[in-house]
Every structure is written in structure tokens, then in C-alpha cells.
């Protein structure tokens, strides 16, 4: 039933005149029938002589407690879109516990309700910060990667790489688990999923023992919108933009008492032009005999323009079935298909004494098609009346396949060499097949009212097989023939078995969570190549193991503490948190494969199969204070990492057929990396029509180590900051501005300039608030460009890179049959930190 204004008025009025002395307590817990999900803000009404005496509302766990004098009372429990539960009149002369009260859906009232709540911007948990970004206008029509770039502590660089506090080794999870939706070791799929699919992002800088120990920076857990609302409802979004950007996405949900059907669908076509400018000056080198060797060319300038066409399709369908009031099983299937086409023109000018002596044009046509799917099954069992006493079992299987074809052709535009050799036409064929199995079980045992014990197992088993074939032109016949010295098959496995246990408790204002995780990691790889060991050393510049099998056994302790400074009868929330964790960074994929990329003849990327995992230990001290209109979050952190990964650039000692030195970028294990940083976040809502949000992150990386006789020790100091404002204009038009600046940074070889970008967005609710029109401009000033200078003993290189140009998008979203969203309602109240939410 629905509470009307008259009932609410009588309840509030009667509360003002209730007896001053109350001796008897009436308490209980209100949950949804079938799912046993607690119902927050359910209303408890106490009546006597058919008039309201007093009442109360339930908390986030569905619990309530009302005090009354002894007497005869009728008790009713009411909740929007649910059937009212009424207890017959009874005499109450002592404390009474009504136990668990289960409310059933009122099917007839569902169509009368539409509640779309604006969530709290941030919630502080014991081991995480939760950012609700569903109302971010600047990401309308954008992707998950776009949305992540607006989350404090997170940056997405011009190439799409995701960093947390400036560290790229961040673990991406979807709904708490590794997922095909997050890609296999990269973030490509995140640039395809629509941002509207996200409900919230959990930033976990001090992960508990339940989480996989992978990711020295921490974890980003992306929670998608699914199986949350009641009855049948859905939303459809259409998007168009420039450069070419067209998309369609839909989210449909149908929920009954015994089951819940959920789905997300998306299609996107877009063109993302990319530009690269490289200017390299080569130095004289001193040979072993003391003689000076001059380079063939003093300076080489490259300009590359790439048209990138992307077509992506994804679908996620699933069903949750309630086997009983205490158990459920959920199954889902995710499928993704992508078809990409790139056309690249790379102009290269060779100069001596600032005079162009040669110019070439390199043409590259690349196509790639790939599909992937994930099957996931979850079983959950609740024991007894305590919903926190439960067992969950998960199984996931993921498969991904990509087929790539590249055609390369380079010709002279101009040359001063009469006998210049022609360039070979090349064709590349790449097939990459990846599989992953996940087995996981977690058991949670409440110990008393405020304590909890957890234990579990997780097994991750991944296999990646890359088959690479290079065909090159035979000048004698004009035909293309396989180059079997470069063609290869690289088979790589990563198997991780883990056991964990953790214990959390709360007493008074103090809470803690202690955990220990034991992980065994097996990294196994086999390179099938006709090159001999000596030829491999000559080709790669260092010895490599073509058949390796490495095992690592590690203990990963975690400690999370929180102390609430809240004063009684105060609306101000205040807390201090302290976290410690040990984590691992496992090399994978592109970082391991030693066969170099060939998109440029002179600047290549090369993996390193000799990489070992890096281990880190991190301390994090945080402070939160929340007033009625103002929230402050802050933290300082320190991390010590051993065998840390560092990308270095060096001269390979090899030259192209026309005498140009080949420069490679290669990842290596350095001896250590110390990171120190501080964060500050401010959120201020001075009026209903204005909301301000800003964050600042400062960090310093200090590396020590050497490779091939070169010392790469260095200090890197940088920072980034964000500011956003949301203003409600006349005619209920929302205007949002978001500014981002990343400060300059340095490492052992490279100085990078700062990057600034500004996004604007406007939106208007229409069709009785069932529809939303939005327009946004990402990177208004077209300034999001990476600019850096790299200096070594052999060369100095300036690089300017723009991954995506200014983007203008318009979108229309239509919501139909949107029902009351219980989790949105339960999120309206700030969480402060006074909670026992330990889940990973």
C-alpha cells in the first residue's frame, strides 16, 4: 500500500506528544519475501484505539526498535509497493522481538510508483570507497573508460590505460570478480561498454584478503546495473556524435517473487582518429676502440595519422532463481563481438644538417575481428535467520578469440641515394586464443552481533596462445613468402591457487578486519621458433628462456582498521582508517612476448619473457569528515615494491636496411620502487541547485636499478587534480562542468608535460521524467595530448600523441515502468564508516 500524506502527518504529530517515559522496546527486522533482502526505511506504526501513538523506520539492515509504555497496541509494518503486515491488537507489558518480518510485493501497486533517487556521491567502507557515478552527465553516451576517468584517484591516459594513484598496475573487476567484460589483461572491452551500464565504482586501495592479491595499486570494482529493480522495467539509450559515434544500449529487468531476469545489450560504431608526432635526434657514439661513429641520419621526423573504425556488440543476459527463502542460484552469459579497421599513413623525413635528404611514406591497413563470451554460475545459501551467515560458490568460464591482419607497404617520396633499396611489402597474420577458468567458494560466519569470520578458496587458470606469421616480399619473384625466423607461436599459462581467511569485529567506535591469503602462482610459457639460442640472443639482445616454468608461493596479509570519532547527538560523521596490504604484479601478455611489434621500423615494442612478478607492501592512512552539506576525504600512503616493472628505451644496436638505428621499448625488473603520496577530496552542496566536487592527488615514485649496464635510478614527482560542478538552471536543465589536469612527470629517461582537459554537459528531463535528453563535449579545447621528451646516451626523442580528438555526443534515454529501486533508496543515507561491510 502507499502511505498517504494524512497518515504521515498523524504519525509525525503524534510523535511530538508521545509519553516522555518509555520502558518497553518493540524490535524486529523487515526483509523482502523471497530474497530476504533487508528493506531500509520501512515504516513501523504503533496504534492504540485506532489512532497512531508512535512509530519508527528501519535502518540499512532492515532493523527497527521502538519504545512504548505498557498497553494494548496494533502494530503494522508498511513499505511502498509492498503489502502491509499487521499484527493483531495485543497487550505488551515487556520487551518484545517480532523477529524477521517478510513483506511481499504488492503487484497491483507497482505501476503506480516511480522513484529515481540521486545517490550519495561517496560512501566510505572499512576497506573501500564507493563512488556512485550513475548521474554523471559528462559520460552520457560515453563508455565505461570515460566514466572511470571521472572517479577520484583514477586516471585513464590518452592510450586508454587505467591508473590508480598514478600506478597502472590496477586490478579491474566486474561485480566483484574477474570478467570478460574487463578484457583479458587489458582494458579494451571497457572502451566498448556503455557508461550507463554502471551503478557505482568501488575504489579499493587496501583490499581485504578475500580479493585476489593481483594489482599493486589496488582494485577497481565496477558494479553494473542489473537485478536491482522490482517488477518489469527497462531503459533504452540512443547516442550520436562527432567524430562519428553512434550507439544503442538497452537494460531490461523482470522480477517476480521467485525469480529475476536481467539483461544488458549494446551496439556501437565510432571513428576515433589518432595522431602521432615523433622527432628524434641521434648522437655520435664511441666505439670500443675509441673511434667516433656518426649516425646515418642526424634527425628523423615521423608524422602518423590513423583512421580507426570500431564496431562493437555486447550482450549480457542472466537469471536469478530463488530456490527457497534462504538459497538462490544465478546464471549469466556475456557475449562481445568487435570488428576494427585501421588505416595509417606514416610520413618519415630523414635530415642531415637540417636538410631533408630522404622521405618515405609508410601505409598500414589493419583489420581485427574478435569475439568473446563468459558463462557464470553463482550459488548462495543462507543459514538460519542471520542473512550474513552464508555460503557462496562461483564458477566462470571465459573464452576470447582475435584474428588480426596487417598489410604494410613503404615507398620513397624522395631520396638522395641513387642505389636506395626498395622496401619489402609485408603481411602479418595474428591469431590469439585466450581461455580462463575461475572456481571460487566463500563462507561467512557471524560471531555474535558485531563480529564475522570468513574463509574461502579461489582458483584462476588462464591460457593464452598467440600464433604470429610474417610474410615478406621476395624481390626475385615478387611473391610473398613466410619469414620463419620471425614467425612464431607463443603459448603462455598463468595458474593461481589461493586460500584465505579473515576476521572482523566491532566494539564501541573501533572496527578492524584482519586477513591472510596464501597464493601459489605458476607462470609457464613456451616459444615455438626456429631460431637457435644464439640467434635469439642476437635478435633480442639478451638471453631468453623459450620454455620456462616458474612457481611462486606467497603470503599476503591485510589489516584494515577504522575508528569513528562521531559524537553522540551530532549529525557530523568523522572517522580515521588505517590499512596495510601486501600484493603482487604478475607479468602477462604483451609484457612477456619477445617478438617485437612492426607498426614502425625504427621504434618498436618488445616483451621480456625473463620478467618476474613484482611484490609490494602498502600503508594507507585515511580521514573522513562529513557535515550536512560538506564532505572531506583525505589519505596519505606509502608503498615499497621489489622487482618493479619499468619500461626503458634503448638502442638495439641493429639498423634498418636503409641504415636507421632501431630503438626499442622493453619492460624490465628494477630492484625497487618507493611510492609516497597524498589525496584530498572535497564535496560541497551549498544549495539544491548547486553541487561542487574536487579532488587532488600528489605522488612521488623513486626507482633504483640498472639494466644492460645503464643506471635507471630516478625520482618522479607528479600530481593530478579534478574539479566538477553541477548546476540546475531554469526550466530544470542540468549543467555539469568537469576539469582535469595531470601535472608534468619525470622518470629515468623521460620528461612528460602536463595534460589539461575540460568536459561540458547539459541534460533535460522530458516526457514526465521518463526521458532524458543530454549533450556533452569531451575535451572542449582539444588539449588532451601526451607530450614527452626521452633522452639517452644515443638519442633524444620528442613524442606528441593524441589518442582521441574532441568528441561531441548527444543522447536520448527513455525509461519505462521504472519501479521503486530498493538499493537506491538504501543508499540515500551516508555511510560514514560505522559499518561492518567487509565483503570483497
Amino acid at each position: 500500500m502507499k502511505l498517504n500524506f494524512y497518515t504521515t502527518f498523524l504519525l509525525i504529530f503524534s510523535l511530538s506528544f508521545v509519553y516522555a517515559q518509555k520502558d518497553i522496546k518493540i524490535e524486529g527486522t523487515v526483509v523482502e519475501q523471497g530474497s530476504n533482502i533487508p528493506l531500509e526505511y520501512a515504516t513501523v506504526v504503533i496504534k492504540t484505539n485506532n489512532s497512531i501513538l508512535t512509530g519508527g523506520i528501519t535502518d540499512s539492515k532492515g532493523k527497527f526498535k521502538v519504545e512504548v509504555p505498557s498497553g494494548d497496541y496494533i502494530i503494522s509494518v508498511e513499505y511502498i509497493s509492498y503489502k502491509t503486515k499487521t499484527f493483531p491488537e495485543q497487550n505488551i507489558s515487556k520487551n518484545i522481538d517480532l523477529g524477521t518480518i517478510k513483506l511481499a510485493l504488492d503487484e497491483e501497486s507497482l505501476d503506480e510508483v516511480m522513484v529515481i533517487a540521486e545517490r550519495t556521491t561517496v560512501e566510505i567502507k572499512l576497506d573501500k570507497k564507493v563512488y556512485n557515478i550513475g548521474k554523471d552527465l559528462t559520460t552520457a553516451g560515453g563508455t565505461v573508460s570515460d566514466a572511470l576517468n571521472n572517479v577520484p584517484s583514477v586516471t585513464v591516459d590518452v592510450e586508454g590505460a587505467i591508473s590508480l594513484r598514478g600506478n597502472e598496475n590496477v586490478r579491474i573487476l566486474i561485480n566483484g570478480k574477474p570478467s570478460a567484460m574487463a578484457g583479458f589483461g587489458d582494458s579494451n572491452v571497457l572502451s566498448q561498454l556503455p557508461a550507463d551500464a554502471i551503478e557505482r565504482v568501488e575504489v579499493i586501495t587496501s583490499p581485504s584478503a578475500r580479493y585476489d592479491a593481483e594489482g599493486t595499486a589496488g582494485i577497481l570494482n565496477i558494479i553494473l546495473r542489473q537485478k536491482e529493480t522490482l517488477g518489469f522495467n527497462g531503459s533504452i539509450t540512443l547516442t550520436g556524435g562527432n567524430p562519428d559515434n553512434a550507439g544503442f544500449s538497452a537494460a531490461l529487468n523482470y522480477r517476480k517473487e521467485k525469480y529475476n531476469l536481467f539483461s544488458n545489450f549494446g551496439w556501437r560504431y565510432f571513428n576515433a582518429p589518432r595522431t602521432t608526432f615523433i622527432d628524434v635526434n641521434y648522437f655520435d657514439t664511441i666505439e670500443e676502440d675509441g673511434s667516433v661513429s656518426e649516425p646515418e641520419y642526424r634527425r628523423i621526423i615521423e608524422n602518423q595519422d590513423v583512421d580507426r573504425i570500431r564496431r562493437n556488440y555486447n550482450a549480457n543476459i542472466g537469471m536469478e532463481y530463488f530456490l527457497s527463502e534462504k538459497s538462490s542460484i544465478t546464471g549469466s552469459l556475456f557475449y562481445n563481438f568487435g570488428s576494427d579497421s585501421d588505416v595509417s599513413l606514416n610520413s618519415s623525413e630523414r635530415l642531415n644538417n637540417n636538410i631533408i635528404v630522404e622521405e618515405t611514406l609508410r601505409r598500414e591497413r589493419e583489420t581485427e575481428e574478435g569475439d568473446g563470451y563468459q558463462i557464470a554460475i553463482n550459488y548462495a545459501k543462507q543459514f538460519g535467520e542471520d542473512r550474513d551467515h552464508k555460503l557462496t560458490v562461483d564458477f566462470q568460464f571465459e573464452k576470447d578469440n582475435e584474428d588480426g591482419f596487417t598489410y604494410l607497404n613503404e615507398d620513397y617520396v624522395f631520396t638522395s641515394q641513387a642505389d636506395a633499396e626498395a622496401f619489402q611489402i609485408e603481411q602479418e597474420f595474428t591469431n590469439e586464443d585466450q581461455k580462463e577458468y575461475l572456481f571460487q567458494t566463500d563462507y561467512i560466519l557471524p560471531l555474535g552481533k558485531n563480529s564475522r569470520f570468513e574463509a574461502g578458496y579461489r582458483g584462476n587458470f588462464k591460457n593464452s596462445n598467440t600464433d604470429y606469421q610474417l610474410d615478406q616480399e621476395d624481390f626475385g619473384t615478387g611473391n610473398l613468402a613466410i619469414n620463419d625466423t620471425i614467425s612464431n607461436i607463443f603459448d603462455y599459462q598463468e595458474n593461481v591457487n589461493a586460500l584465505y581467511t579473515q576476521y572482523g569485529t566491532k566494539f564501541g567506535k573501533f572496527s578492524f578486519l584482519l586477513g591472510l591469503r596464501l597464493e601459489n602462482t605458476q607462470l609457464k610459457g613456451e616459444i615455438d621458433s626456429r631460431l637457435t639460442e644464439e640467434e635469439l640472443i642476437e635478435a633480442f639482445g639478451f638471453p631468453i628462456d623459450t620454455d620456462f616454468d616458474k612457481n611462486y608461493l606467497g603470503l599476503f596479509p591485510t589489516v584494515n582498521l577504522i575508528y569513528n570519532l562521531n559524537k553522540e547527538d551530532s549529525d557530523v560523521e568523522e572517522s580515521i582508517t588505517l590499512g596495510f596490504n601486501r600484493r603482487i604484479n604478475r607479468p602477462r601478455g604483451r609484457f612477456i612476448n619477445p617478438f617485437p611489434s612492426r607498426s614502425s621500423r625504427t621504434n618498436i615494442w618488445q616483451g621480456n619473457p625473463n620478467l618476474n612478478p613484482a611484490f609490494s607492501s602498502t600503508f594507507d592512512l585515511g580521514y573522513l569528515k562529513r557535515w550536512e552539506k560538506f564532505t572531506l576525504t583525505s589519505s596519505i600512503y606509502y608503498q615499497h615494491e621489489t622487482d618493479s616493472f619499468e619500461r626503458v628505451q634503448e638502442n638495439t644496436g641493429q639498423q634498418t636496411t636503409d641504415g636507421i638505428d632501431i630503438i626499442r621499448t622493453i619492460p624490465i625488473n628494477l630492484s625497487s620502487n618507493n611510492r609516497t603520496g597524498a589525496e584530498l577530496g572535497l564535496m560541497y552542496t551549498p544549495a539544491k541547485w548547486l553541487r561542487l566536487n574536487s579532488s587532488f592527488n600528489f605522488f612521488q615514485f623513486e626507482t633504483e636499478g640498472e639494466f644492460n649496464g645503464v643506471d635507471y635510478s630516478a625520482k618522479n614527482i607528479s600530481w593530478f587534480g579534478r574539479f566538477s560542478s553541477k548546476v540546475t538552471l531554469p526550466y530544470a536543465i542540468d549543467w555539469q562542468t568537469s576539469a582535469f589536469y595531470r601535472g608534468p612527470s619525470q622518470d629515468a629517461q623521460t620528461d612528460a608535460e602536463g595534460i589539461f582537459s575540460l568536459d561540458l554537459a547539459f541534460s533535460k528531463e522530458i516526457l514526465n521524467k521518463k526521458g532524458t535528453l543530454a549533450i556533452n563535449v569531451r575535451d572542449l579545447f582539444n588539449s588532451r595530448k601526451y607530450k614527452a621528451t626521452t633522452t639517452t646516451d644515443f638519442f633524444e626523442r620528442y613524442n606528441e600523441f593524441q589518442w582521441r580528438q574532441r568528441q561531441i555526443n548527444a543522447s536520448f534515454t527513455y525509461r519505462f515502468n521504472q519501479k521503486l529501486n530498493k538499493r537506491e533508496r538504501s543508499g540515500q543515507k551516508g555511510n560514514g564508516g560505522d559499518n561492518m561491510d567487509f565483503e570483497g
Side-chain angles (χ1 to χ4, degrees):
M1 65 173 292
K2 293 190 298 181
L3 285 176
N4 56 36
F5 174 78
Y6 179 72
T7 303
T8 305
F9 175 79
L10 285 179
L11 175 60
I12 297 174
F13 182 80
S14 61
L15 286 173
S16 302
F17 295 94
V18 75
Y19 298 106
Q21 180 66 34
K22 299 184 180 67
D23 301 319
I24 299 171
K25 295 179 181 179
I26 303 173
E27 57 185 328
T29 303
V30 182
V31 301
E32 179 186 74
Q33 184 174 305
S35 67
N36 286 339
I37 295 175
L39 297 178
E40 185 179 5
Y41 299 116
T43 303
V44 180
V45 179
I46 311 296
K47 297 181 180 180
T48 179
N49 296 326
N50 291 322
S51 63
I52 297 176
L53 172 69
T54 185
I57 58 174
T58 56
D59 60 17
S60 61
K61 295 185 177 181
K63 297 182 180 298
F64 68 87
K65 184 182 296 184
V66 180
E67 295 183 347
V68 297
S70 59
D72 296 328
Y73 301 108
I74 299 173
I75 304 171
S76 64
V77 181
E78 304 175 353
Y79 198 47
I80 298 176
S81 75
Y82 287 79
K83 296 179 180 178
T84 297
K85 176 75 171 181
T86 301
F87 293 86
E89 185 175 15
Q90 57 183 304
N91 180 267
I92 299 178
S93 57
K94 60 180 180 180
N95 293 344
I96 182 174
D97 187 347
L98 298 177
T100 301
I101 303 169
K102 300 177 180 180
L103 299 186
L105 286 173
D106 186 351
E107 301 289 348
E108 295 181 358
S109 70
L110 284 177
D111 292 332
E112 304 173 15
V113 182
M114 188 175 93
V115 177
I116 302 174
E118 177 120 4
R119 299 284 304 271
T120 304
T121 303
V122 62
E123 301 172 26
I124 308 299
K125 305 287 187 179
L126 185 58
D127 59 347
K128 70 187 101 176
K129 294 178 183 177
V130 183
Y131 294 94
N132 304 289
I133 60 177
K135 292 289 184 179
D136 195 326
L137 305 181
T138 60
T139 63
T143 67
V144 170
S145 292
D146 297 328
L148 289 177
N149 204 37
N150 284 349
V151 175
S153 306
V154 180
T155 55
V156 182
D157 69 14
V158 291
E159 294 183 326
I162 299 170
S163 300
L164 179 59
R165 291 174 169 176
N167 185 351
E168 290 185 7
N169 185 227
V170 55
R171 180 71 158 161
I172 308 294
L173 302 178
I174 303 290
N175 295 332
K177 300 178 181 65
S179 172
M181 287 185 251
F184 288 84
D186 58 42
S187 58
N188 290 338
V189 181
L190 297 182
S191 65
Q192 303 167 15
L193 293 174
D196 292 340
I198 303 179
E199 182 198 359
R200 64 184 185 274
V201 175
E202 298 177 347
V203 178
I204 310 171
T205 53
S206 185
S208 68
R210 175 186 265 201
Y211 291 104
D212 181 5
E214 170 70 28
T216 56
I219 293 172
L220 292 179
N221 186 21
I222 301 169
I223 307 299
L224 300 181
R225 295 181 179 275
Q226 64 182 32
K227 56 179 182 179
E228 294 182 359
T229 52
L230 309 173
F232 177 73
N233 69 95
S235 64
I236 297 175
T237 299
L238 299 173
T239 302
N242 180 268
D244 293 347
N245 180 28
F248 166 82
S249 64
L252 305 175
N253 195 94
Y254 182 66
R255 177 168 181 164
K256 300 290 286 185
E257 184 175 329
K258 291 293 293 183
Y259 62 87
N260 179 50
L261 299 173
F262 54 91
S263 62
N264 289 280
F265 304 94
W267 167 82
R268 190 182 185 210
Y269 168 90
F270 66 101
N271 181 12
R274 174 172 64 85
T275 60
T276 302
F277 173 78
I278 299 175
D279 188 352
V280 186
N281 288 278
Y282 293 90
F283 307 141
D284 293 340
T285 56
I286 300 177
E287 305 295 338
E288 293 183 359
D289 60 4
S291 62
V292 177
S293 176
E294 297 184 0
E296 181 76 15
Y297 303 101
R298 285 290 180 183
R299 185 181 181 190
I300 297 178
I301 300 175
E302 291 187 47
N303 275 289
Q304 185 183 39
D305 293 303
V306 183
D307 279 332
R308 301 183 300 154
I309 303 297
R310 300 288 184 265
R311 303 173 186 87
N312 301 304
Y313 312 84
N314 61 79
N316 182 37
I317 58 175
M319 177 178 179
E320 180 180 20
Y321 183 77
F322 302 105
L323 301 171
S324 67
E325 293 183 354
K326 298 181 180 179
S327 63
S328 67
I329 187 168
T330 304
S332 64
L333 171 65
F334 172 78
Y335 176 77
N336 174 265
F337 173 79
S339 178
D340 303 339
S341 177
D342 292 0
V343 177
S344 169
L345 296 177
N346 191 347
S347 174
S348 179
E349 298 176 345
R350 285 85 151 170
L351 299 89
N352 283 325
N353 299 319
N354 289 324
I355 298 174
I356 299 177
V357 297
E358 188 172 276
E359 182 179 354
T360 64
L361 181 64
R362 182 178 176 88
R363 303 173 183 86
E364 179 178 342
R365 296 198 305 270
E366 181 180 1
T367 60
E368 182 178 88
E369 287 192 354
D371 63 347
Y373 66 87
Q374 171 189 282
I375 300 172
I377 300 174
N378 167 269
Y379 171 76
K381 170 67 175 178
Q382 174 189 327
F383 301 94
E385 295 299 324
D386 191 338
R387 65 182 298 269
D388 289 333
H389 186 192
K390 60 184 178 181
L391 172 72
T392 59
V393 180
D394 290 276
F395 168 76
Q396 285 184 183
F397 172 71
E398 303 174 11
K399 190 177 188 304
D400 181 72
N401 182 269
E402 293 182 358
D403 286 304
F405 169 77
T406 304
Y407 176 86
L408 302 169
N409 183 25
E410 189 165 0
D411 293 309
Y412 288 102
V413 176
F414 163 77
T415 180
S416 60
Q417 302 180 57
D419 58 346
E421 296 184 9
F423 300 106
Q424 291 177 300
I425 296 175
E426 296 183 350
Q427 290 185 160
E428 296 178 310
F429 299 88
T430 305
N431 175 264
E432 187 171 9
D433 186 76
Q434 304 180 80
K435 298 177 183 177
E436 178 176 351
Y437 294 87
L438 167 70
F439 301 91
Q440 179 175 334
T441 181
D442 300 283
Y443 176 70
I444 301 174
L445 175 64
L447 301 173
K449 184 177 181 181
N450 292 319
S451 300
R452 188 158 77 179
F453 168 80
E454 294 186 40
Y457 162 81
R458 174 181 286 186
N460 268 90
F461 309 98
K462 305 177 186 179
N463 175 255
S464 174
N465 185 283
T466 303
D467 189 341
Y468 175 81
Q469 177 182 316
L470 175 66
D471 294 353
Q472 292 180 309
E473 182 182 12
D474 185 330
F475 290 126
T477 64
N479 298 324
L480 296 176
I482 296 177
N483 183 332
D484 56 5
T485 62
I486 295 180
S487 300
N488 68 92
I489 298 175
F490 180 52
D491 191 84
Y492 183 62
Q493 296 181 42
E494 178 187 296
N495 301 319
V496 180
N497 287 280
L499 295 170
Y500 83 92
T501 183
Q502 62 184 22
Y503 172 76
T505 191
K506 173 186 175 182
F507 45 92
K509 295 185 176 183
F510 181 76
S511 304
F512 70 80
L513 178 62
L514 308 178
L516 184 64
R517 188 177 187 90
L518 174 67
E519 286 194 354
N520 175 257
T521 300
Q522 180 190 43
L523 304 179
K524 187 176 181 180
E526 182 178 357
I527 301 172
D528 184 0
S529 169
R530 67 171 295 274
L531 296 178
T532 65
E533 184 176 341
E534 291 76 16
E535 289 173 329
L536 286 169
I537 295 176
E538 181 180 355
F540 303 131
F542 54 88
I544 66 172
D545 190 349
T546 59
D547 188 1
F548 59 88
D549 188 350
K550 304 176 182 179
N551 276 272
Y552 304 88
L553 185 66
L555 280 174
F556 301 91
T558 62
V559 178
N560 287 294
L561 312 173
I562 187 168
Y563 182 74
N564 290 316
L565 303 174
N566 303 346
K567 297 180 180 179
E568 293 185 5
D569 301 325
S570 173
D571 293 332
V572 177
E573 299 177 8
E574 189 176 13
S575 62
I576 297 175
T577 60
L578 175 65
F580 166 79
N581 64 85
R582 184 171 187 262
R583 300 187 64 75
I584 186 173
N585 181 8
R586 304 180 183 96
R588 63 188 65 195
R590 183 168 174 254
F591 273 56
I592 293 290
N593 195 332
F595 289 88
S597 64
R598 300 186 65 80
S599 59
S600 171
R601 294 188 303 117
T602 57
N603 295 277
I604 64 173
W605 167 274
Q606 185 175 355
N608 180 3
N610 297 332
L611 276 181
N612 292 317
F615 295 87
S616 71
S617 297
T618 304
F619 295 88
D620 189 301
L621 178 64
Y623 173 75
L624 163 80
K625 191 164 186 178
R626 190 198 311 270
W627 295 265
E628 181 181 357
K629 297 182 178 181
F630 187 82
T631 301
L632 180 149
T633 59
S634 62
S635 66
I636 56 175
Y637 54 90
Y638 170 78
Q639 181 183 85
H640 176 72
E641 186 174 358
T642 58
D643 286 332
S644 62
F645 299 167
E646 184 76 15
R647 301 170 189 171
V648 300
Q649 301 177 34
E650 62 178 10
N651 194 318
T652 62
Q654 302 172 352
Q655 292 185 328
T656 63
T657 56
D658 50 344
I660 303 175
D661 290 340
I662 298 175
I663 300 170
R664 73 175 173 189
T665 301
I666 185 172
I668 62 171
N669 286 114
L670 280 182
S671 61
S672 67
N673 187 345
N674 294 314
R675 308 167 188 257
T676 306
E679 290 181 302
L680 178 66
L682 302 173
M683 285 160 283
Y684 181 47
T685 308
K688 291 183 178 180
W689 56 270
L690 177 62
R691 186 174 69 193
L692 305 175
N693 192 344
S694 64
S695 62
F696 177 81
N697 194 306
F698 170 85
F699 50 88
Q700 173 183 285
F701 299 166
E702 184 174 359
T703 60
E704 295 182 0
E706 65 174 39
F707 179 69
N708 284 347
V710 179
D711 186 4
Y712 290 101
S713 301
K715 275 189 177 181
N716 173 11
I717 299 177
S718 189
W719 59 277
F720 62 85
R722 282 190 181 85
F723 173 81
S724 68
S725 65
K726 187 175 181 181
V727 181
T728 301
L729 302 173
Y731 303 103
I733 297 175
D734 286 332
W735 165 29
Q736 185 169 323
T737 304
S738 180
F740 171 82
Y741 180 77
R742 183 185 180 103
S745 62
Q746 312 83 32
D747 60 24
Q749 295 179 310
T750 302
D751 289 337
E753 299 181 18
I755 299 176
F756 172 79
S757 65
L758 180 70
D759 302 335
L760 294 179
F762 298 88
S763 76
K764 168 68 175 175
E765 303 287 342
I766 61 175
L767 303 177
N768 196 26
K769 295 189 177 182
K770 292 182 179 180
T772 303
L773 285 174
I775 182 170
N776 62 56
V777 183
R778 299 190 62 81
D779 195 11
L780 177 66
F781 300 115
N782 205 36
S783 57
R784 193 172 175 81
K785 299 178 181 179
Y786 173 80
K787 301 177 181 180
T789 301
T790 299
T791 304
T792 72
D793 294 336
F794 302 97
F795 63 88
E796 181 180 81
R797 181 173 70 180
Y798 172 78
N799 183 35
E800 185 173 309
F801 183 84
Q802 185 175 25
W803 184 257
R804 186 171 64 179
Q805 300 176 6
R806 179 195 298 113
Q807 181 76 44
I808 302 175
N809 292 317
S811 68
F812 170 68
T813 299
Y814 180 74
R815 297 173 293 273
F816 56 92
N817 295 337
Q818 290 278 10
K819 311 302 187 232
L820 184 67
N821 187 319
K822 58 185 172 297
R823 294 190 184 178
E824 286 191 349
R825 182 176 51 247
S826 66
Q828 290 172 352
K829 183 181 179 181
N831 233 338
D834 186 8
N835 64 82
M836 289 292 291
D837 183 3
F838 300 140
E839 284 196 41

